[in-house]
């Protein structure tokens, strides 16, 4: 919870999480939602939205080459985004 927005090398972090999670395992993530919380915190390396999560999983990058399945995503009160990924 509230870690991934601080990670410098996001694709590498997803690869490592994928490596240690068994097939079918779930990754539950909660991050600040939108640009404003990230602009206010100098330690945030990225902003998250529903669109950015889907594009990270779909784009042609190291992170997208890892087989994840988006199980759930919802906006949580107080400017947070919660999503669950399943390791394929």
């Amino acid at each position: 919870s509230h870690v991934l927005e601080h990670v410098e090398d996001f694709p590498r972090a997803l690869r490592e999480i994928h490596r240690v999670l068994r097939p079918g395992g779930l990754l539950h993530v909660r991050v600040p939602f939108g640009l404003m919380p990230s602009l206010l915190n100098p330690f945030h390396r990225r902003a998250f939205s529903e669109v950015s999560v889907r594009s990270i999983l779909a784009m042609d990058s190291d992170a997208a080459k890892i087989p994840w399945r988006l199980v759930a995503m919802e906006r949580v009160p107080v400017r947070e985004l919660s999503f669950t990924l399943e390791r394929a």
Side-chain angles (χ1 to χ4, degrees):
S1 178
H2 290 271
V3 172
L4 290 180
E5 68 272 14
H6 297 277
V7 173
E8 189 82 36
D9 190 345
F10 189 69
R12 181 178 176 194
L14 282 181
R15 284 193 306 271
E16 180 61 15
I17 293 167
H18 189 272
R19 186 186 71 78
V20 299
L21 204 59
R22 69 176 178 226
L26 299 175
L27 170 65
H28 299 284
V29 179
R30 198 168 197 161
V31 292
F33 171 76
L35 193 56
M36 188 53 90
S38 291
L39 288 175
L40 297 175
N41 187 328
F43 300 107
H44 286 187
R45 300 292 177 234
R46 68 179 56 249
F48 287 90
S49 69
E50 292 97 334
V51 172
S52 71
V53 170
R54 284 190 169 83
S55 66
I56 288 167
L57 297 175
M59 67 185 188
D60 186 24
S61 71
D62 287 342
K65 292 174 187 168
I66 300 169
W68 291 104
R69 185 174 75 84
L70 183 62
V71 176
M73 184 164 30
E74 67 176 327
R75 236 187 273 176
V76 183
V78 194
R79 292 193 175 137
E80 291 185 351
L81 180 67
S82 175
F83 60 95
T84 302
L85 301 175
E86 180 181 17
R87 183 192 188 276

